[in-house]
Amino acid sequence: MGRLMRLSMAATLAGALAMAPGGALAGSATQTFLLVAEEANVGVAANGETIHITCEGGEEGVCGTFAVHPKSIEANGEFEHFLADGSSFATGTWTATELISYHSYGCGEVLGDPIPPELCGGALKFAATFSTPLGELNGIITVVCIVGPKAPASLNQASGEGVTVVVPGIINFNHTGGGDNIYIQID
C-alpha cells in the first residue's frame, strides 16, 4: 500500500478520534499525538545488522501516545534484530519509559504535497526497556517521520524515515533504514 493511501487511512482514524468525547481544547499549550506505525521501521548498524521496530496489539498500527508540555509517553511494540547476513538474531518487545525529546518538522505536508493538517512529522526520541532473550535491556529509540515542511532535505528519501536505536554497551543502530510512521495530533 502506498504512503499516501496510508496517510489517508491515518486521517480517517484521526477524524474518528476527534469526534470522540474529550476532544481538544483550542489554544491549549499541550499537544498530544498518536504514534502510528503500520509496518516495520528499520534501524541499521555500522556492521550491517538491522532492527525492525513495530507496534504491539491494540488498534492497527497504533503504538501509543506521546505529549509535549508536559512531556509524557505511553507506547509499546515488538522488535526483531537481524544479523548482517539477514538471519534473525533476537526478538522481543519494547516499552517506552520516558519521552526525551520531540523535534517537530511540522504538519499537513509530505514532500511538498498537502495532506490533512493533523498529520505531523518529526524526530521523536524516548527511553525504552527491551525485553529480550538476554533479559531486560535499557535503550533509546528515535522515530523519524519525514512529514512536515521543516523535514530535513537529507531525509527526503525512502531510507530517511525509520528508527535509530541505541542499547549502550550492546549495539548502536545509528542510521534509519526505511519504514512508515506518522504522528497524528489529537489535541
Side-chain angles (χ1 to χ4, degrees), residues 158-169:
S159 64
E161 196 152 274
V163 294
T164 63
V165 177
V166 178
V167 180

Side-chain angles (χ1 to χ4, degrees), residues 41-45 49-52 162-165 173-178:
N41 283 272
V42 180
V44 181
E49 294 181 21
T50 61
I51 190 165
H52 295 222
V163 294
T164 63
V165 177
F173 301 96
N174 57 348
H175 296 284
T176 57

Side-chain angles (χ1 to χ4, degrees), residues 25-185:
L25 298 174
S28 173
T30 299
Q31 295 177 328
T32 304
F33 301 85
L34 287 176
L35 169 56
V36 178
E38 294 180 340
E39 60 185 53
N41 283 272
V42 180
V44 181
N47 65 3
E49 294 181 21
T50 61
I51 190 165
H52 295 222
I53 299 288
T54 59
C55 296
E56 182 177 75
E59 293 182 54
E60 185 178 328
V62 177
C63 294
T65 60
F66 69 96
V68 293
H69 309 300
K71 293 192 294 186
S72 67
I73 189 165
E74 289 186 29
N76 57 61
E78 299 167 335
F79 74 90
E80 188 163 7
H81 178 168
F82 293 92
L83 297 176
D85 67 7
S87 61
S88 180
F89 177 70
T91 62
T93 61
W94 60 267
T95 302
T97 58
E98 177 187 5
L99 177 63
I100 297 170
S101 64
Y102 173 55
H103 177 80
S104 175
Y105 298 156
C107 304
E109 178 182 311
V110 63
L111 303 175
D113 294 324
I115 59 173
E118 67 275 4
L119 301 181
C120 305
L124 172 65
K125 185 176 193 173
F126 56 91
T129 299
F130 293 88
S131 296
T132 77
L134 301 174
E136 300 225 330
L137 301 172
N138 293 319
I140 296 173
I141 299 173
T142 303
V143 180
V144 178
C145 178
I146 59 172
V147 168
K150 297 178 185 172
S154 61
L155 297 177
N156 289 341
Q157 55 190 333
S159 64
E161 196 152 274
V163 294
T164 63
V165 177
V166 178
V167 180
I170 307 287
I171 194 158
N172 183 358
F173 301 96
N174 57 348
H175 296 284
T176 57
D180 191 18
N181 59 71
I182 191 77
Y183 312 136
I184 302 173
Q185 188 168 1

